Amino acid sequence: MYSTCQTSNMKVVIFLALLAVASAKRLFHQDQVLRVEPRGYQLKVIENLGKRFPNIDYWTDLSEVRPVDIHVPLVYLSAVKSFLSRNRIDYEIFIEDLQVAIDNQKSDRPAQMSLATFDYNVYHTMDEITAWMSEMVSTYSFVNLDNVGVSFEGRSIDALRITHSTSSNPPQFVIDCGLHAREWVSHSTCLYTVKYLVEAEPGSAEYNILNEMEIVVIPIANPDGYEYTWTDDRMWRKTRSDTGHVCMGVDPNRNWDANWSGKCMSHCNII
């Protein structure tokens, strides 16, 4: 029989093991992304697929005009493929191993903390983007930095204002990127857009636009979620706010009036 001390030690070991699992970085080894192109009645079948397997993750909305990409965890892979085959829905393997694809996104390189070394062809951490924004302001006199909000976890939400206009109140065109944290190409699009504008030659169409208006660019509109995709879960999509419900965070789309709180096609722990 175990002594009281042995029993207590075992409880501590079990607790620490559970804590490690709970805090472990989420991995996606051998998960696949399947691409389907549903037509007619197949749209309803694909929708039912999400009810049958709640942990699959729709990367695109259900549509007949473009492919639907579905992230399927390894544990459901055989069952999902059988379900599609039984319903005569063709599919292709769009991503063979999701973890391999994720690892390939993060290049092994020194941190890029200045414009001189900044590479627009790779994805960047929040610290790199923050440093890049500061250097944009210090390098170009017509670029200004504004704080437009604070995230749930206390991170600054910053915007770059770009204009050649001499008006005290020029019309503004606002671009926000990265509402959905895992969509890193959105953040990269904002970075490249700023580069494109600040390097515009006098007399060019882009330069003339800045004479007429102010372009406001928010490269990281969901900083908590973006940081979380680098540290814990590459597929995290929402904010990190604690709403007191089972699911952590909210979809930032809920901040807009258009189709507010519509039907959600993904599991609450993912979207």
Side-chain angles (χ1 to χ4, degrees):
M1 296 179 65
Y2 290 111
S3 66
T4 302
C5 181
Q6 288 174 314
T7 303
S8 298
N9 288 340
M10 181 173 291
K11 289 180 179 179
V12 170
V13 170
I14 292 173
F15 172 77
L16 291 175
L18 291 173
L19 184 63
V21 170
S23 62
K25 186 173 185 176
R26 188 178 177 208
L27 300 174
F28 304 89
H29 292 294
Q30 299 183 61
D31 288 12
Q32 291 185 347
V33 177
L34 305 182
R35 171 164 286 183
V36 298
E37 297 189 35
R39 297 290 183 267
Y41 78 94
Q42 294 178 341
L43 281 172
K44 189 66 176 178
V45 175
I46 296 298
E47 181 179 346
N48 289 334
L49 181 68
K51 299 173 182 177
R52 197 180 185 97
F53 305 100
N55 284 325
I56 69 171
D57 180 14
Y58 293 86
W59 282 11
T60 49
D61 294 331
L62 295 184
S63 171
E64 286 190 277
V65 299
R66 66 175 182 176
V68 177
D69 295 333
I70 309 171
H71 166 210
V72 183
L74 174 62
V75 66
Y76 297 121
L77 204 51
S78 295
V80 167
K81 289 179 177 178
S82 295
F83 179 87
L84 294 174
S85 296
R86 285 198 310 271
N87 287 278
R88 299 181 179 181
I89 298 177
D90 295 331
Y91 65 86
E92 63 174 304
I93 300 174
F94 183 56
I95 297 178
E96 183 75 35
D97 187 321
L98 184 55
Q99 188 60 47
V100 171
I102 290 171
D103 292 340
N104 289 338
Q105 287 182 327
K106 299 180 179 180
S107 56
D108 185 14
R109 56 171 175 76
Q112 297 177 12
M113 307 301 284
S114 73
L115 289 182
T117 60
F118 203 84
D119 184 354
Y120 291 88
N121 296 309
V122 299
Y123 294 120
H124 291 276
T125 65
M126 184 174 299
D127 287 343
E128 289 177 318
I129 295 175
T130 300
W132 171 87
M133 293 176 75
S134 295
E135 287 228 358
M136 276 289 174
V137 173
S138 62
T139 303
Y140 298 96
S141 60
F142 54 92
V143 179
N144 292 283
L145 180 68
D146 283 341
N147 171 259
V148 295
V150 178
S151 70
F152 178 79
E153 294 180 344
R155 293 183 176 87
S156 179
I157 303 174
D158 295 322
L160 293 176
R161 292 187 293 108
I162 312 165
T163 186
H164 296 306
S165 174
T166 58
S167 169
S168 60
N169 188 29
Q172 288 184 330
F173 186 88
V174 179
I175 306 172
D176 60 65
C177 286
L179 275 178
H180 294 146
R182 68 188 184 188
E183 296 169 6
W184 288 1
V185 72
S186 174
H187 309 79
S188 294
T189 300
C190 261
L191 303 186
Y192 193 82
T193 297
V194 171
K195 175 182 183 295
Y196 188 73
L197 290 171
V198 299
E199 294 180 354
E201 294 290 336
S204 66
E206 297 78 19
Y207 193 93
N208 291 337
I209 287 175
L210 294 176
N211 284 333
E212 301 297 329
M213 66 173 58
E214 185 173 68
I215 306 295
V216 181
V217 181
I218 308 171
I220 309 177
N222 177 8
D224 296 345
Y226 187 61
E227 181 68 14
Y228 196 71
T229 62
W230 281 87
T231 60
D232 290 79
D233 183 351
R234 176 63 184 87
M235 290 297 108
W236 188 264
R237 185 174 184 265
K238 302 185 294 180
T239 67
R240 293 293 299 162
S241 57
D242 186 354
T243 62
H245 296 88
V246 175
C247 297
M248 190 78 173
V250 296
D251 186 337
N253 283 352
R254 301 309 198 258
N255 289 319
W256 315 107
D257 289 338
N259 296 319
W260 184 88
S261 196
K263 182 164 54 176
C264 174
M265 290 303 300
S266 296
H267 192 260
C268 65
N269 288 327
I270 297 173
I271 199 165

